[in-house]
Amino acid sequence: MDGEWTLVAVALLCGVSFFLLNWSRQKQNLKRKLQIARQKREAGLQQAEQAVSHFKAENPGLDFSPIVALPLSELSQKIREGSLQPDVVLHAYIEKALEVNSKLNCGTALLIESLKQLEDIETHKDGLLYGIPISIKDNFDYEGYDSTCGVFSKVDNPAVVDSVVVKVLKRQGAIPFIKTNIAQGLYNYECSNPIYGTTVNPNNLQKTSGGSTGGEGALIGGGGSILGLGGDLGGSIRIPASFCGICALKPTANRISSLGLNTCVKGRMSILSSVGPLARDVDSLALCMRALLNKDMFTLDPKIPPLPFKQEVYESSEHLRIGYYDNDGYMQPSPSMSRALQEAKSLLEQAGHMLVPFKPPRIYTAVHEYFLKNLLADGGATIHSHLKQGPIDPCLNYGIFPGLPRFVKKTISLVLRCNHPHIASLVDSICGVSSVADLWEQQSDIENYIHEVIEQWKKLELDVLLCPMLGPALNLTYSGRLTSGVSYTALYNLLNFPVGVIPITKVTAEDEDQLRHYKGTFGGFGDKLFIKAMQGSVGLPVAVQCVSLPWQDELCLRLMRELEALCAKNKKPNTQ
């Protein structure tokens, strides 16, 4: 008998030893990967600093500040006419990006190869983006560099080839020079991950830059880049643009190739990520679209419809029939969001456009049953398989309960159903679907919903749509607890409608005072949290969204261009 107990004790000891040894190895591996990622970034930053110092020593008296202040159209013109050289422009933006990154923590890699690209830049002189430095989101593959998505499983796994978008940019003469920070797993609208840390807002360091493309928003908003590219799955381009006070476009999915973009969840078909540009003005967005939508892209990725950019639609001056709403019925907008919408509506009406009330149908069902349940159809299992290999960002612990078994989530939903039906429904939606048949049925429901919205659109004979945009920027760490904030953006990923963001106004003291009386839609914990998240925002930018039907991206940009011009015209008398 004693011999049997001895064997049990030995087996138990071996099991515990194996567990501890394996845990220790995993911990050491994580530490090694973290060191590799941060050392790579630091080495790139140091090389970039040395390159700028060397260039300035060889060219004494150079003043970079006027260069980085130029709008894209003027910068491009000066490069083409020869009054500015591409090498001067690139070094000017590298220096500015280094400065902005030191304050905001927005970069993940300085692409030193951009300096080598200067050697044959003259061969791309006919490109629409000739000599223009451009920033790209961390998950865009660039040969020789990691596309981490903010997770440890993708560290120290450099891309073998450039993504299609990077290849096309280079052929158009653009110079990708920096990769920018993202939310962990691309699953949150706060730009934070355990590898590279948190990116903060260029207008207020206590605020988030938004996510998941928060590094782009911060870098461009801070003046460290003139044009950038990101991806949008639920607002990932638009939220950073809104929070940082810049312009952005989420095109129709598959208008621009996503081949070579890394992600933690592949194979999703109903809700697709869209590749799109971020910039300081609308003309820059349009120029980027023109540059990308060419035969090079259509050849490199034959799945992309060969639809060149329709410049005549973008430049049209005909009056538009514009639908609008100031509350989607899911999340009550902040006072500044409502005011921005009303100001934009008033400007458009004064310019002769027709504004028609519009209401998104069944928004509650659309957000919970269609968007969230499809986004997390597997209950978050796939994203969790990446997250569990390292520390999980606190924001994600609030949002999708990574690793929590389905039956536990279902139990929580049942317990909350009586007193907190909204939260119960939210928890139920992140359980995902129960079977393949359930997934197919849901995909069919989504298709029917899209047609329902289009029919409503056609019935009102709309050209475009104007609606609120989440803003101003939230205080740090609140994004993960405010899932309701994405209702205004996620709807158009579900519908696959092109949608852009343009800043309209800034938060006033009166807006801040009215925020104290905010009631919200459901009157629960989330609505009270929303007030805390928005406090201290006086002076921060507030935007609106401009929407069009699928494949009519140029019409969306047309409305944005109109609003941009009207806002500029409206500000002149006030300035004087």
Side-chain angles (χ1 to χ4, degrees), residues 203-474:
N203 302 298
N204 184 330
L205 302 185
Q206 305 306 312
K207 300 281 184 175
T208 177
S209 62
S212 62
T213 317
E216 283 297 321
L219 184 65
I220 297 171
S225 175
I226 198 167
L227 181 65
L229 280 172
D232 192 309
L233 184 62
S236 298
I237 287 176
R238 289 163 288 157
I239 293 173
S242 169
F243 286 6
C244 297
I246 61 174
C247 301
L249 175 71
K250 180 207 83 69
T252 309
N254 286 325
R255 185 79 195 265
I256 297 174
S257 174
S258 59
L259 202 60
L261 267 68
N262 216 326
T263 178
C264 291
V265 181
K266 298 180 180 180
R268 192 188 294 110
M269 299 302 294
S270 292
I271 303 173
L272 302 174
S273 180
S274 298
V275 176
L278 303 90
R280 301 174 194 169
D281 56 62
V282 180
D283 275 346
S284 299
L285 303 178
L287 177 61
C288 186
M289 292 294 287
R290 279 178 58 208
L292 290 173
L293 297 175
N294 63 51
K295 62 180 181 181
D296 288 330
M297 176 168 289
F298 308 143
T299 303
L300 289 167
D301 189 354
K303 302 191 306 298
I304 301 301
L307 300 173
F309 189 78
K310 301 183 186 73
Q311 189 71 14
E312 68 279 6
V313 174
Y314 172 64
E315 293 179 345
S316 170
S317 58
E318 294 181 3
H319 286 157
L320 299 169
R321 187 174 172 87
I322 306 169
Y324 76 93
Y325 60 92
D326 59 7
N327 188 332
D328 66 359
Y330 185 90
M331 188 198 85
Q332 181 187 335
S334 67
S336 56
M337 285 171 67
S338 295
R339 183 171 57 81
L341 190 285
Q342 292 302 323
E343 286 184 10
K345 173 178 175 286
S346 178
L347 288 171
L348 290 166
E349 286 176 328
Q350 291 171 22
H353 300 285
M354 176 68 72
L355 276 291
V356 182
F358 179 90
K359 191 73 174 177
R362 301 187 291 123
I363 187 68
Y364 196 88
T365 301
V367 172
H368 286 200
E369 293 300 314
Y370 301 156
F371 179 78
L372 286 174
K373 187 167 282 191
N374 189 275
L375 192 71
L376 296 165
D378 63 349
T382 305
I383 182 67
H384 181 248
S385 69
H386 291 278
L387 297 177
K388 70 180 182 181
Q389 296 186 37
I392 297 177
D393 192 87
C395 286
L396 284 179
N397 280 319
Y398 291 115
I400 59 175
F401 303 121
L404 207 60
R406 177 185 169 85
F407 79 90
V408 176
K409 295 177 188 175
K410 283 287 186 181
T411 302
I412 293 172
S413 176
L414 286 170
V415 170
L416 293 173
R417 187 164 293 175
C418 291
N419 296 324
H420 303 282
H422 170 65
I423 300 176
S425 176
L426 197 60
V427 174
D428 184 70
S429 67
I430 63 175
C431 291
V433 297
S434 57
S435 65
V436 174
D438 189 18
L439 178 63
W440 288 346
E441 182 180 356
Q442 191 207 43
Q443 289 173 339
S444 176
D445 290 340
I446 290 172
E447 282 297 313
N448 291 335
Y449 182 75
I450 293 171
H451 289 298
E452 181 183 345
V453 175
I454 291 175
E455 284 303 311
Q456 183 175 332
W457 185 295
K458 288 182 175 179
K459 187 177 180 180
L460 293 171
E461 299 179 334
L462 303 180
D463 295 311
V464 284
L465 180 68
L466 178 73
C467 65
M469 176 62 210
L470 180 65
L474 275 61

Side-chain angles (χ1 to χ4, degrees), residues 530-545:
F530 185 81
I531 298 173
K532 293 181 180 179
M534 290 285 182
Q535 286 173 342
S537 299
V538 173
L540 294 185
V542 190
V544 296
Q545 291 187 106

Side-chain angles (χ1 to χ4, degrees), residues 163-201:
S163 59
V164 166
V165 166
V166 169
K167 288 179 181 178
V168 176
L169 286 171
K170 288 181 176 180
R171 293 183 187 185
Q172 286 291 326
I175 306 174
F177 77 106
I178 186 171
K179 297 187 86 173
T180 53
N181 204 17
I182 66 298
Q184 189 178 26
L186 314 178
Y187 258 71
N188 189 31
Y189 66 101
E190 179 139 335
C191 189
S192 177
N193 64 76
I195 300 171
Y196 300 113
T198 300
T199 300
V200 294
N201 195 293

